[in-house]
């Protein structure tokens, strides 16, 4: 039976995917707007050191947390899929450039030089966030096994200072059917190369294996630990040396 909270009209504001897209868009627009506002301040006219401190605190705090949280959630979910692998590489490259600018900002020798670095940071960040909004989010919506609402919820957890759950065993027998595969793929996205988790099910998860072959070709391991007749257990892992 479907609960009232699970009833929605697809592609409207009641759709969890639409709500998740809106939340993420609001978050990165707020970050971009905050940095843009700080870089518009004249470092000389406004007693430069306080401006420099405000920009540095924002970049080394909230902005770095956002970049790290995205890497652990949205990027991790899309990194192994053939259709999004190159996109994630590009986003991780521009995120690295933003981090390099932030490192320079922390060691700037004057408020004026800090302002120049901050403006360069804002320019790269603007392009980076635009790609997240216009390319990555639509790709995640279409990606087999990706659960955008769950990924955005995980992102919010990390931004709030929380930690993601990484259970060693996922027993899906009590999980509604429509939520099983997204839950499993979300757990896979959190694996480091060489790590594994164990899936427990009441039938042979061959359809899930086909989805893994489609979404993460050559980057996952699949080992039967128990093969029925009433319970199946599969150890799923991320291959060492994969491009994810």
């Amino acid at each position: 039976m479907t609960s009232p909270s699970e009833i929605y009209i697809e592609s409207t504001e009641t759709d969890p995917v639409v709500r998740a897209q809106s939340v993420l868009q609001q978050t990165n627009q707020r970050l971009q707007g905050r940095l843009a506002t700080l870089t518009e301040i004249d470092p000389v006219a406004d007693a430069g050191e306080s401006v420099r401190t405000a920009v540095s605190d924002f970049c080394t705090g909230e902005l770095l947390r956002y970049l790290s949280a995205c890497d652990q959630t949205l990027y991790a979910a899309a990194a192994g899929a053939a259709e999004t692998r190159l996109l994630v590489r590009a986003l991780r490259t521009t995120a690295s450039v933003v981090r390099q600018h932030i490192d320079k900002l922390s060691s700037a020798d004057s408020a004026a030089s800090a302002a120049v670095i901050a403006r360069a940071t804002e320019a790269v960040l603007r392009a980076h966030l635009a790609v997240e909004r216009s390319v990555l989010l639509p790709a995640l919506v279409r990606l087999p096994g990706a659960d955008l609402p769950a990924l955005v919820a995980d992102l919010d957890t990390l931004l709030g200072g929380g930690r993601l759950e990484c259970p060693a065993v996922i027993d899906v027998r009590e999980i509604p059917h429509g939520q099983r595969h997204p839950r499993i793929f979300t757990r896979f996205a959190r694996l480091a190369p060489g790590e594994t988790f164990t899936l427990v099910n009441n039938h042979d998860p061959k359809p899930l294996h086909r989805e893994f072959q489609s979404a993460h070709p050559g980057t996952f391991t699949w080992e039967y630990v128990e093969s029925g007749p009433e319970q199946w257990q599969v150890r799923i892992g991320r291959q060492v040396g994969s491009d994810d």
Side-chain angles (χ1 to χ4, degrees), residues 172-242:
V172 300
R173 289 174 293 184
E174 299 301 322
I175 299 175
H177 281 277
Q179 299 175 20
R180 292 182 179 186
H181 287 197
R183 183 81 59 87
I184 294 164
F185 277 102
T186 297
R187 178 66 184 96
F188 177 77
R190 297 174 189 164
L191 294 177
E195 289 185 340
T196 65
F197 69 94
T198 299
L199 166 67
V200 181
N201 206 346
N202 55 10
H203 65 269
D204 190 346
K206 289 181 179 179
L208 176 67
H209 185 256
R210 289 194 291 270
E211 284 194 37
F212 264 95
Q213 288 179 316
S214 174
H216 301 280
T219 62
F220 73 97
T221 60
W222 183 278
E223 177 187 359
Y224 283 96
V225 178
E226 182 178 0
S227 300
E230 296 181 356
Q231 176 175 284
W232 274 257
Q233 294 190 59
V234 181
R235 185 176 296 115
I236 301 172
R238 186 181 295 279
Q239 286 191 355
V240 176
S242 72

Coordinates of all heavy atoms in Angstrom, one line a residue, residues 172-242:
V172 N 17.6 -6.2 2.0 CA 16.5 -5.5 1.3 C 15.2 -6.1 1.4 O 14.2 -5.7 0.8 CB 16.9 -5.3 -0.2 CG1 18.2 -4.5 -0.3 CG2 17.0 -6.6 -0.9
R173 N 15.1 -7.2 2.1 CA 13.8 -8.0 2.2 C 12.7 -7.2 2.8 O 11.5 -7.4 2.4 CB 14.0 -9.3 2.9 CG 14.9 -10.3 2.2 CD 15.2 -11.5 3.0 NE 16.1 -11.2 4.1 CZ 16.6 -12.1 5.0 NH1 16.3 -13.4 4.8 NH2 17.3 -11.7 6.0
E174 N 13.0 -6.2 3.6 CA 11.9 -5.4 4.2 C 11.8 -4.0 3.6 O 11.0 -3.2 4.1 CB 12.2 -5.3 5.7 CG 12.2 -6.6 6.5 CD 10.9 -7.4 6.4 OE1 9.8 -6.7 6.4 OE2 10.9 -8.6 6.2
I175 N 12.6 -3.8 2.5 CA 12.5 -2.5 1.9 C 11.6 -2.6 0.7 O 11.6 -3.6 -0.1 CB 14.0 -2.1 1.3 CG1 14.9 -2.0 2.5 CG2 13.9 -0.8 0.6 CD1 16.4 -1.8 2.1
P176 N 10.7 -1.6 0.5 CA 9.8 -1.6 -0.7 C 10.6 -1.8 -2.0 O 11.7 -1.3 -2.1 CB 9.1 -0.2 -0.6 CG 9.2 0.1 0.8 CD 10.5 -0.4 1.3
H177 N 10.0 -2.6 -2.9 CA 10.7 -2.9 -4.1 C 11.2 -1.8 -4.9 O 12.4 -1.8 -5.4 CB 9.8 -3.8 -5.0 CG 9.6 -5.2 -4.6 ND1 10.5 -6.2 -4.9 CD2 8.7 -5.8 -3.8 CE1 10.2 -7.3 -4.4 NE2 9.1 -7.1 -3.7
G178 N 10.5 -0.7 -5.0 CA 10.9 0.5 -5.8 C 12.1 1.2 -5.2 O 12.8 2.0 -5.8
Q179 N 12.4 0.9 -3.9 CA 13.5 1.6 -3.2 C 14.8 0.7 -3.1 O 15.8 1.2 -2.6 CB 13.1 2.0 -1.8 CG 11.9 3.0 -1.8 CD 11.4 3.3 -0.4 OE1 12.1 3.1 0.6 NE2 10.2 3.8 -0.3
R180 N 14.7 -0.5 -3.5 CA 15.8 -1.5 -3.2 C 17.0 -1.1 -4.1 O 18.1 -0.9 -3.5 CB 15.3 -2.9 -3.5 CG 14.3 -3.4 -2.5 CD 13.9 -4.9 -2.8 NE 13.0 -5.4 -1.8 CZ 12.6 -6.7 -1.8 NH1 13.0 -7.5 -2.6 NH2 11.7 -7.0 -0.8
H181 N 16.8 -1.1 -5.4 CA 18.0 -0.8 -6.2 C 18.7 0.5 -6.0 O 19.9 0.6 -5.9 CB 17.6 -1.0 -7.7 CG 17.4 -2.5 -8.1 ND1 17.4 -2.9 -9.4 CD2 17.2 -3.6 -7.3 CE1 17.2 -4.2 -9.4 NE2 17.0 -4.6 -8.1
P182 N 17.9 1.6 -5.9 CA 18.5 2.9 -5.5 C 19.3 2.8 -4.2 O 20.4 3.4 -4.1 CB 17.3 3.8 -5.4 CG 16.3 3.3 -6.4 CD 16.4 1.8 -6.2
R183 N 18.8 2.1 -3.2 CA 19.5 2.0 -1.9 C 20.8 1.3 -2.1 O 21.9 1.7 -1.6 CB 18.6 1.3 -0.9 CG 19.2 1.1 0.5 CD 19.0 2.4 1.3 NE 17.6 2.7 1.4 CZ 16.8 2.2 2.4 NH1 17.2 1.4 3.3 NH2 15.5 2.6 2.4
I184 N 20.8 0.3 -2.9 CA 22.0 -0.5 -3.2 C 23.1 0.3 -4.0 O 24.2 0.3 -3.6 CB 21.7 -1.8 -3.9 CG1 20.8 -2.7 -3.0 CG2 22.9 -2.6 -4.3 CD1 20.1 -3.8 -3.8
F185 N 22.6 1.0 -5.0 CA 23.5 1.8 -5.8 C 24.1 3.0 -5.0 O 25.3 3.3 -5.2 CB 22.9 2.3 -7.1 CG 22.8 1.3 -8.2 CD1 21.7 0.6 -8.5 CD2 24.0 1.1 -9.0 CE1 21.7 -0.3 -9.5 CE2 24.0 0.2 -10.0 CZ 22.8 -0.6 -10.3
T186 N 23.3 3.5 -4.1 CA 23.8 4.6 -3.2 C 24.9 4.1 -2.3 O 25.9 4.7 -2.1 CB 22.6 5.2 -2.4 OG1 21.7 5.8 -3.3 CG2 23.1 6.3 -1.5
R187 N 24.7 2.9 -1.8 CA 25.7 2.3 -0.9 C 27.0 2.0 -1.8 O 28.1 2.2 -1.3 CB 25.2 1.0 -0.3 CG 26.3 0.2 0.6 CD 26.6 1.1 1.8 NE 27.7 0.4 2.6 CZ 29.0 0.7 2.5 NH1 29.4 1.6 1.6 NH2 29.8 0.1 3.2
F188 N 26.8 1.5 -3.0 CA 28.0 1.2 -3.8 C 28.8 2.5 -4.1 O 30.0 2.5 -4.1 CB 27.5 0.6 -5.2 CG 28.7 0.4 -6.1 CD1 29.5 -0.7 -6.0 CD2 28.8 1.2 -7.2 CE1 30.6 -0.9 -6.9 CE2 29.9 1.0 -8.1 CZ 30.7 -0.1 -7.9
A189 N 28.1 3.6 -4.3 CA 28.8 4.9 -4.6 C 29.7 5.3 -3.4 O 30.6 6.1 -3.7 CB 27.7 6.0 -4.8
R190 N 29.5 4.8 -2.2 CA 30.3 5.2 -1.1 C 31.5 4.3 -0.9 O 32.3 4.6 0.0 CB 29.4 5.2 0.2 CG 28.3 6.2 0.2 CD 27.4 6.1 1.4 NE 26.2 6.9 1.2 CZ 25.1 6.8 2.0 NH1 25.1 5.9 2.9 NH2 24.1 7.6 1.8
L191 N 31.6 3.3 -1.7 CA 32.7 2.4 -1.5 C 34.0 3.0 -2.0 O 34.0 3.6 -3.1 CB 32.5 1.1 -2.3 CG 31.4 0.2 -1.8 CD1 31.2 -1.0 -2.7 CD2 31.6 -0.3 -0.3
A192 N 35.1 2.8 -1.3 CA 36.4 3.1 -1.9 C 36.9 1.9 -2.6 O 36.4 0.8 -2.4 CB 37.4 3.4 -0.7
P193 N 37.9 2.0 -3.6 CA 38.4 0.9 -4.3 C 38.9 -0.2 -3.3 O 39.6 0.0 -2.4 CB 39.6 1.5 -5.1 CG 39.2 2.9 -5.3 CD 38.5 3.3 -4.0
G194 N 38.4 -1.4 -3.6 CA 38.7 -2.6 -2.7 C 37.7 -2.9 -1.6 O 37.8 -3.9 -1.0
E195 N 36.8 -1.9 -1.3 CA 35.8 -2.1 -0.3 C 34.6 -2.9 -0.8 O 34.3 -2.9 -2.0 CB 35.4 -0.8 0.3 CG 36.4 -0.1 1.1 CD 35.9 1.2 1.8 OE1 34.8 1.7 1.3 OE2 36.5 1.6 2.8
T196 N 33.9 -3.5 0.1 CA 32.7 -4.3 -0.3 C 31.6 -4.1 0.7 O 31.8 -3.6 1.8 CB 33.0 -5.8 -0.4 OG1 33.4 -6.3 0.9 CG2 34.2 -6.1 -1.3
F197 N 30.4 -4.5 0.4 CA 29.3 -4.7 1.3 C 28.5 -5.9 0.9 O 28.7 -6.4 -0.3 CB 28.4 -3.5 1.3 CG 27.6 -3.3 0.1 CD1 26.3 -3.8 -0.1 CD2 28.1 -2.6 -1.0 CE1 25.6 -3.6 -1.2 CE2 27.4 -2.4 -2.2 CZ 26.1 -2.9 -2.3
T198 N 27.7 -6.5 1.7 CA 27.0 -7.7 1.4 C 25.5 -7.4 1.3 O 24.9 -6.8 2.2 CB 27.2 -8.7 2.6 OG1 28.6 -9.1 2.7 CG2 26.4 -10.0 2.3
L199 N 24.9 -7.9 0.2 CA 23.5 -7.7 -0.1 C 22.8 -9.0 0.3 O 23.2 -10.1 0.0 CB 23.3 -7.5 -1.6 CG 21.9 -7.6 -2.1 CD1 21.0 -6.5 -1.5 CD2 21.9 -7.6 -3.6
V200 N 21.7 -8.9 1.1 CA 20.8 -10.0 1.5 C 19.5 -9.9 0.8 O 18.8 -8.8 0.9 CB 20.7 -10.1 3.0 CG1 19.8 -11.3 3.4 CG2 22.1 -10.2 3.7
N201 N 19.0 -10.9 0.1 CA 17.7 -10.8 -0.6 C 17.0 -12.2 -0.5 O 17.7 -13.2 -0.1 CB 18.0 -10.4 -2.0 CG 16.7 -9.8 -2.6 OD1 15.6 -9.8 -2.1 ND2 16.9 -9.1 -3.8
N202 N 15.8 -12.2 -0.9 CA 15.0 -13.5 -0.8 C 14.9 -14.1 -2.2 O 14.2 -15.1 -2.4 CB 13.6 -13.3 -0.2 CG 12.8 -12.2 -0.9 OD1 13.2 -11.7 -2.0 ND2 11.7 -11.8 -0.3
H203 N 15.6 -13.6 -3.2 CA 15.7 -14.2 -4.5 C 17.0 -13.8 -5.2 O 17.7 -13.0 -4.7 CB 14.5 -13.7 -5.4 CG 14.6 -12.2 -5.7 ND1 14.0 -11.3 -4.9 CD2 15.2 -11.6 -6.7 CE1 14.2 -10.1 -5.5 NE2 15.0 -10.2 -6.5
D204 N 17.4 -14.5 -6.2 CA 18.6 -14.3 -6.9 C 18.5 -12.9 -7.6 O 17.7 -12.7 -8.5 CB 18.8 -15.4 -8.0 CG 20.2 -15.3 -8.6 OD1 20.9 -14.3 -8.4 OD2 20.6 -16.3 -9.3
P205 N 19.4 -12.0 -7.2 CA 19.3 -10.6 -7.8 C 19.9 -10.4 -9.2 O 20.7 -9.5 -9.4 CB 20.0 -9.8 -6.7 CG 21.1 -10.7 -6.2 CD 20.4 -12.1 -6.2
K206 N 19.5 -11.3 -10.1 CA 20.1 -11.2 -11.4 C 19.7 -9.9 -12.1 O 20.6 -9.3 -12.8 CB 19.6 -12.4 -12.3 CG 20.2 -13.7 -11.9 CD 19.6 -14.8 -12.8 CE 20.2 -16.1 -12.4 NZ 19.7 -17.3 -13.3
P207 N 18.5 -9.3 -12.0 CA 18.2 -8.0 -12.6 C 19.1 -6.9 -12.1 O 19.5 -6.0 -12.9 CB 16.7 -7.8 -12.2 CG 16.2 -9.1 -12.0 CD 17.3 -9.9 -11.4
L208 N 19.4 -7.0 -10.8 CA 20.4 -6.0 -10.2 C 21.7 -6.1 -10.9 O 22.4 -5.1 -11.2 CB 20.5 -6.2 -8.7 CG 21.5 -5.3 -8.0 CD1 21.0 -3.8 -8.1 CD2 21.6 -5.7 -6.6
H209 N 22.2 -7.3 -11.1 CA 23.5 -7.6 -11.7 C 23.5 -7.0 -13.1 O 24.5 -6.4 -13.5 CB 23.8 -9.1 -11.7 CG 25.2 -9.4 -12.3 ND1 25.4 -9.9 -13.5 CD2 26.4 -9.3 -11.7 CE1 26.7 -10.1 -13.7 NE2 27.3 -9.7 -12.6
R210 N 22.4 -7.1 -13.8 CA 22.4 -6.5 -15.2 C 22.5 -5.0 -15.1 O 23.1 -4.4 -16.0 CB 21.1 -7.0 -15.9 CG 21.1 -8.5 -16.3 CD 20.0 -8.8 -17.3 NE 18.7 -8.7 -16.7 CZ 18.1 -9.7 -16.1 NH1 18.6 -10.9 -16.0 NH2 16.9 -9.5 -15.6
E211 N 21.8 -4.4 -14.1 CA 21.9 -3.0 -13.9 C 23.3 -2.5 -13.6 O 23.8 -1.5 -14.1 CB 20.9 -2.5 -12.8 CG 19.5 -2.5 -13.3 CD 18.6 -1.7 -12.3 OE1 19.1 -0.7 -11.7 OE2 17.5 -2.1 -12.0
F212 N 24.0 -3.3 -12.8 CA 25.4 -3.0 -12.5 C 26.3 -3.1 -13.7 O 27.1 -2.2 -14.0 CB 25.9 -3.9 -11.4 CG 25.9 -3.3 -10.0 CD1 24.8 -3.6 -9.2 CD2 26.9 -2.5 -9.5 CE1 24.7 -3.1 -7.9 CE2 26.8 -2.0 -8.3 CZ 25.7 -2.3 -7.4
Q213 N 26.0 -4.1 -14.5 CA 26.8 -4.2 -15.8 C 26.6 -3.0 -16.7 O 27.5 -2.6 -17.4 CB 26.4 -5.5 -16.5 CG 27.0 -6.8 -15.8 CD 26.6 -8.0 -16.5 OE1 25.4 -8.2 -16.9 NE2 27.5 -9.0 -16.6
S214 N 25.4 -2.5 -16.7 CA 25.0 -1.4 -17.6 C 25.6 -0.1 -17.0 O 26.1 0.7 -17.7 CB 23.5 -1.3 -17.7 OG 23.1 -0.1 -18.4
A215 N 25.4 0.1 -15.7 CA 25.8 1.4 -15.1 C 27.2 1.5 -14.7 O 27.8 2.6 -14.7 CB 24.9 1.7 -13.9
H216 N 27.8 0.4 -14.3 CA 29.2 0.4 -13.8 C 30.1 -0.7 -14.4 O 30.6 -1.5 -13.7 CB 29.2 0.3 -12.3 CG 28.5 1.4 -11.6 ND1 29.0 2.6 -11.3 CD2 27.2 1.4 -11.0 CE1 28.1 3.4 -10.7 NE2 27.0 2.6 -10.5
P217 N 30.1 -0.7 -15.8 CA 30.9 -1.8 -16.4 C 32.3 -1.8 -16.1 O 33.0 -0.8 -16.1 CB 30.7 -1.5 -17.9 CG 30.4 0.0 -18.0 CD 29.7 0.3 -16.7
G218 N 32.8 -3.0 -15.6 CA 34.2 -3.2 -15.4 C 34.7 -2.5 -14.1 O 35.9 -2.5 -13.8
T219 N 33.8 -2.0 -13.2 CA 34.3 -1.3 -12.0 C 33.8 -2.0 -10.8 O 34.0 -1.5 -9.7 CB 33.9 0.2 -12.1 OG1 32.5 0.3 -12.1 CG2 34.5 0.9 -13.3
F220 N 33.0 -3.0 -10.8 CA 32.4 -3.6 -9.7 C 32.8 -5.1 -9.6 O 33.1 -5.7 -10.6 CB 30.9 -3.5 -9.6 CG 30.1 -4.3 -10.6 CD1 29.6 -5.5 -10.2 CD2 30.0 -3.9 -11.9 CE1 28.9 -6.3 -11.1 CE2 29.3 -4.7 -12.8 CZ 28.8 -5.9 -12.4
T221 N 32.7 -5.7 -8.4 CA 32.8 -7.1 -8.2 C 31.5 -7.7 -7.7 O 30.8 -7.0 -7.0 CB 34.0 -7.4 -7.2 OG1 33.7 -6.8 -5.9 CG2 35.3 -6.9 -7.7
W222 N 31.3 -9.0 -8.0 CA 30.0 -9.6 -7.6 C 30.3 -11.0 -7.3 O 30.7 -11.8 -8.1 CB 29.1 -9.5 -8.8 CG 27.7 -10.1 -8.7 CD1 27.3 -11.4 -8.7 CD2 26.5 -9.3 -8.4 NE1 26.0 -11.5 -8.5 CE2 25.4 -10.3 -8.3 CE3 26.3 -8.0 -8.2 CZ2 24.1 -9.9 -8.1 CZ3 25.0 -7.6 -8.0 CH2 23.9 -8.5 -8.0
E223 N 30.1 -11.4 -6.0 CA 30.5 -12.7 -5.5 C 29.3 -13.3 -4.7 O 28.9 -12.7 -3.7 CB 31.7 -12.7 -4.6 CG 32.1 -14.0 -4.0 CD 33.3 -13.8 -3.0 OE1 33.8 -12.7 -2.9 OE2 33.7 -14.9 -2.4
Y224 N 28.8 -14.4 -5.1 CA 27.8 -15.1 -4.3 C 28.3 -15.7 -3.1 O 29.3 -16.5 -3.1 CB 27.1 -16.2 -5.2 CG 26.1 -15.6 -6.2 CD1 26.5 -15.4 -7.5 CD2 24.8 -15.3 -5.8 CE1 25.6 -14.9 -8.4 CE2 23.9 -14.8 -6.8 CZ 24.3 -14.6 -8.1 OH 23.4 -14.1 -9.0
V225 N 27.7 -15.4 -1.9 CA 28.1 -15.9 -0.7 C 27.2 -17.0 -0.3 O 27.5 -18.0 0.3 CB 28.2 -14.9 0.4 CG1 28.5 -15.5 1.8 CG2 29.2 -13.8 0.1
E226 N 25.9 -16.8 -0.6 CA 24.8 -17.8 -0.4 C 23.9 -17.8 -1.5 O 23.5 -16.7 -2.0 CB 24.1 -17.5 1.0 CG 23.0 -18.5 1.3 CD 22.4 -18.2 2.7 OE1 22.7 -17.2 3.3 OE2 21.5 -18.9 3.1
S227 N 23.4 -18.9 -2.0 CA 22.6 -19.0 -3.2 C 21.3 -19.8 -2.9 O 21.1 -20.9 -3.5 CB 23.4 -19.6 -4.4 OG 24.5 -18.8 -4.7
G228 N 20.5 -19.3 -2.1 CA 19.1 -19.9 -1.9 C 19.1 -21.2 -1.1 O 20.2 -21.5 -0.5
P229 N 18.0 -21.9 -1.0 CA 16.8 -21.5 -1.8 C 15.9 -20.4 -1.2 O 15.1 -19.9 -1.9 CB 16.0 -22.8 -1.8 CG 16.4 -23.5 -0.5 CD 17.9 -23.1 -0.3
E230 N 16.1 -20.1 0.1 CA 15.3 -19.1 0.7 C 16.0 -17.7 0.9 O 15.3 -16.7 1.0 CB 14.8 -19.6 2.1 CG 13.9 -20.8 2.0 CD 13.4 -21.2 3.4 OE1 13.8 -20.6 4.4 OE2 12.6 -22.2 3.4
Q231 N 17.3 -17.7 0.9 CA 18.1 -16.5 1.1 C 19.3 -16.5 0.1 O 19.9 -17.5 0.0 CB 18.5 -16.4 2.5 CG 19.4 -15.2 2.8 CD 19.7 -15.1 4.3 OE1 18.9 -14.7 5.1 NE2 20.9 -15.5 4.7
W232 N 19.5 -15.3 -0.5 CA 20.7 -15.1 -1.3 C 21.5 -14.0 -0.6 O 21.0 -13.0 -0.1 CB 20.3 -14.7 -2.7 CG 20.0 -15.8 -3.6 CD1 20.8 -16.3 -4.6 CD2 18.8 -16.6 -3.7 NE1 20.2 -17.3 -5.3 CE2 18.9 -17.5 -4.7 CE3 17.6 -16.5 -3.0 CZ2 18.0 -18.4 -5.1 CZ3 16.6 -17.5 -3.3 CH2 16.8 -18.4 -4.3
Q233 N 22.8 -14.2 -0.6 CA 23.8 -13.2 -0.2 C 24.8 -13.0 -1.3 O 25.4 -13.9 -1.8 CB 24.5 -13.5 1.1 CG 23.5 -13.6 2.3 CD 24.3 -13.8 3.6 OE1 25.1 -12.9 4.0 NE2 24.1 -14.9 4.3
V234 N 25.0 -11.7 -1.6 CA 26.0 -11.3 -2.6 C 27.0 -10.3 -2.1 O 26.5 -9.3 -1.5 CB 25.3 -10.8 -3.9 CG1 26.4 -10.5 -5.0 CG2 24.3 -11.8 -4.5
R235 N 28.3 -10.5 -2.2 CA 29.2 -9.5 -1.8 C 29.6 -8.7 -3.0 O 30.1 -9.1 -4.0 CB 30.5 -10.2 -1.3 CG 31.5 -9.2 -0.7 CD 32.7 -9.9 -0.1 NE 32.4 -10.7 1.1 CZ 32.5 -12.0 1.1 NH1 32.9 -12.7 0.1 NH2 32.1 -12.7 2.2
I236 N 29.2 -7.4 -2.9 CA 29.4 -6.4 -4.0 C 30.5 -5.5 -3.6 O 30.6 -4.9 -2.5 CB 28.1 -5.6 -4.3 CG1 27.0 -6.6 -4.6 CG2 28.3 -4.6 -5.4 CD1 25.6 -5.9 -4.7
G237 N 31.5 -5.2 -4.5 CA 32.6 -4.4 -4.2 C 33.0 -3.5 -5.4 O 32.5 -3.6 -6.5
R238 N 33.9 -2.6 -5.1 CA 34.4 -1.7 -6.1 C 35.8 -2.2 -6.4 O 36.6 -2.4 -5.5 CB 34.5 -0.2 -5.6 CG 34.9 0.8 -6.7 CD 35.0 2.2 -6.1 NE 33.7 2.7 -5.7 CZ 32.8 3.2 -6.5 NH1 33.1 3.3 -7.8 NH2 31.7 3.7 -6.0
Q239 N 36.1 -2.4 -7.7 CA 37.4 -2.9 -8.1 C 38.5 -2.0 -7.8 O 38.4 -0.7 -7.9 CB 37.4 -3.2 -9.6 CG 36.6 -4.5 -10.0 CD 36.9 -4.9 -11.4 OE1 37.6 -4.2 -12.2 NE2 36.3 -6.0 -11.8
V240 N 39.6 -2.5 -7.4 CA 40.8 -1.7 -7.2 C 41.3 -1.3 -8.5 O 41.4 -2.0 -9.5 CB 41.9 -2.6 -6.5 CG1 43.2 -1.8 -6.4 CG2 41.4 -3.0 -5.1
G241 N 41.7 0.0 -8.6 CA 42.2 0.6 -9.8 C 41.1 1.0 -10.8 O 41.4 1.3 -12.0
S242 N 39.8 0.9 -10.4 CA 38.8 1.4 -11.3 C 38.8 2.9 -11.5 O 39.4 3.6 -10.7 CB 37.4 0.9 -10.8 OG 37.0 1.7 -9.7

